[in-house]
Amino acid sequence: EHRLWVLLLRFKAFESIKEYKRRERERERKNSFAMMMQNNGKCCFSLKRSTLRAGNSHVNNNALRFCRRRQNHHHHHHPTGRTLRRTLSASSSSVPPPEYARNVNAEEVQRNENEYVLNTYGRGKSRVITHGKGVLCFDSEGNEYLDFTAGIAVNCLGHADEKLAKVIAEQAKTLLHTSNLYHTEPQASLAKKLVETSFAEKAFFCNSGTEANEACVKFARKYHYEKFRKMSRSDQEFYKKPATETVSFKNGFHGRTMGALALTWKEQYRKPFEPLMPGNAFATYGDLKSAAKVIKRGKTAVVFVEPAQGEGGIFPADAEFLKGLRKLCDENDCLLAYDEVQCGLGRTGYLWAHQKIGKECEPDLLSAAKPLANGLPIGCVLMKQKVADAMQPGDHGSTFAGGPLVCRAALHVFDRVQEPGFLDNVKTNGEYLKDTLAEGLKGHPMFKEVRGTGLLVGVQFTDMAAPLVKACGENGLLVITAGKGDVLRLVPPLVVTKEQIDKAVEIICEQALKVMV
């Protein structure tokens, strides 16, 4: 028994030594990367191979390669005289603020908001944005930022686009609102363009992405209600009732109103508001076998999927998955709805994200919103005729939807996105952004991969990216997270240039060195 105790103590001592060595290697790794701080935009090469311990040579060799790439990037991509602005001040702003924004008191704005606005965003003492121009925006202190959030993938033409501003001003002087009791030319013209450039035969307008998804649920239920009503008596006895259930996917995001929230994956969004709309089942994104288990003939009314997940972590669907979903929906007599609120209207380099794959995966319904009017509130559902035929006057509606102002703006945005070369430029710049990020971050210990499609790009880290978001903001770049918070999401205006991409990647790589260690 005494010998057993001795052996046990020796084993514990051995394990303690192993754990100590592991912690030492981890501390050395962090110190190695912390040493590579920036000096006038260049990496410090005080790190010497001769000082590195053999047990950590893989990580440190990667560190050296990462450091050298950053230095080469400065030599080759940033000629003398063009350096990234580090100290942001009012005098550095290339776009003067409008008169109303010149005396904005940030503390007063924050105080009024804290006192009078419901705190659902947790903004705290975040910057007060006063004006913008193109991909740049400016705060009340005169600081300049590259905006790679674009209002969360909304401002596809950037800020304060002069042509769009002129269109909006002219319409505002002509007709703002009539309700949907009367015909208006901007709504009819926009619907025509949307239908003629998509799979759809009809369009329905609303005011946001979540409203568009709620409308899709209603349209799908009405479609199956009418289908059931026209069935033979024997079929009605077999199915018992119309199909009403829905299917959506893990990591998916479809909105925060009660129906759309039921389709959304994150439990923290759903849990406090249950019970939600009943009858939704979640399948694994990209897994047709998982989808086949929950799509049921006579039960499932509609399947919701994002052709490229945004909020969930930037995961583009592959062709096999979307084609397979189309086939599963056809086999089980249910509708297929694409949520293209974030990934639609040019974001992926295609007018609609699913068009990258082709007609074999066309949906029955599609929801769109964010970029459609470049920041004015608008949503839209595109649908096939068989869905439209189920709807009758009075089945659905909205007071504000499809108003002359937002539709006139959307017409202009749509025409600009359709201009020759626009979408090709999105594809080219999207690939450039991904490649530059992957090369710049290669060797960083917390970097895993860059993924995305077009200018919907995510950088996957092994830890939370919030410190990097904060550091980027303090150095002139606005970015956000996605997924569990471990993905850096980049959704710049679609008019972003390669030079602006270079600046953004430079900031990300330099700040990742400092805070992601």
Side-chain angles (χ1 to χ4, degrees), residues 19 119 193 307 361:
E19 177 63 17
N119 183 21
K193 289 194 175 185
C361 69

Side-chain angles (χ1 to χ4, degrees), residues 32 88 265 284 317 331 343 474 486 495:
S32 297
L88 303 171
W265 169 247
T284 302
E331 290 172 350
C343 65
E474 291 169 350
D486 53 357
V495 295

Side-chain angles (χ1 to χ4, degrees), residues 142-175:
N143 297 323
E144 176 183 309
Y145 303 91
L146 276 170
D147 184 6
F148 270 52
T149 66
I152 315 181
V154 169
N155 306 118
C156 61
L157 299 182
H159 298 284
D161 181 85
E162 291 182 6
K163 293 179 181 178
L164 177 60
K166 183 179 179 181
V167 168
I168 292 172
E170 288 176 351
Q171 184 61 48
K173 290 187 292 185
T174 305
L175 186 67

Side-chain angles (χ1 to χ4, degrees), residues 35 60 93 198 230 293-294 305 332 400 442 452 473 484 509:
M35 287 171 65
N60 287 313
S93 298
S198 72
K230 295 172 183 177
K293 289 179 182 178
V294 294
V305 67
N332 290 279
F400 292 106
K442 189 176 181 181
K484 298 175 182 178
C509 291

Side-chain angles (χ1 to χ4, degrees), residues 215-233:
C216 286
V217 172
K218 286 187 72 174
F219 298 164
R221 284 197 172 189
K222 185 67 189 303
Y223 169 82
H224 286 282
Y225 173 85
E226 291 296 328
K227 196 175 184 70
F228 183 82
R229 193 172 63 83
K230 295 172 183 177
M231 284 180 181
S232 65
R233 185 173 295 275

Side-chain angles (χ1 to χ4, degrees), residues 363-511:
D364 303 298
L365 294 153
L366 182 147
S367 57
K370 284 179 179 288
L372 190 51
N374 202 63
L376 294 183
I378 188 172
C380 174
V381 178
L382 301 178
M383 71 199 79
K384 289 184 175 177
Q385 190 63 47
K386 66 178 183 180
V387 180
D389 287 342
M391 299 299 293
Q392 300 296 323
D395 281 344
H396 198 41
S398 170
T399 298
F400 292 106
L405 182 68
V406 293
C407 284
R408 181 63 67 194
L411 275 166
H412 178 80
V413 172
F414 195 83
D415 287 344
R416 292 274 294 279
V417 171
Q418 287 280 78
E419 285 178 354
F422 188 97
L423 293 174
D424 288 338
N425 197 53
V426 173
K427 293 174 195 171
T428 300
N429 282 345
E431 289 302 310
Y432 182 74
L433 175 58
K434 287 192 294 182
D435 292 345
T436 310
L437 282 165
E439 178 62 22
L441 289 167
K442 189 176 181 181
H444 190 289
M446 291 187 181
F447 167 66
K448 287 184 70 175
E449 66 172 346
V450 178
R451 56 178 178 260
T453 175
L455 286 168
L456 177 61
V457 175
V459 183
Q460 179 73 62
F461 290 97
T462 59
D463 204 350
M464 296 297 102
L468 182 54
V469 170
K470 183 175 184 292
C472 286
E474 291 169 350
N475 286 271
L477 174 66
L478 301 182
V479 287
I480 49 177
T481 60
K484 298 175 182 178
D486 53 357
V487 176
L488 189 72
R489 183 175 8 170
L490 301 156
V491 282
L494 303 185
V495 295
V496 68
T497 66
K498 281 188 171 64
E499 182 183 28
Q500 290 166 332
I501 289 172
D502 282 342
K503 288 183 179 180
V505 172
E506 182 180 334
I507 294 170
I508 290 167
C509 291
E510 290 176 356
Q511 297 311 311

Side-chain angles (χ1 to χ4, degrees), residues 214 217 221 244 246 258-263 275-280 304:
E214 294 279 355
V217 172
R221 284 197 172 189
T244 59
T246 55
M258 295 299 277
L261 190 58
L263 307 169
L276 303 172
M277 178 184 73
N280 184 67
F304 278 85

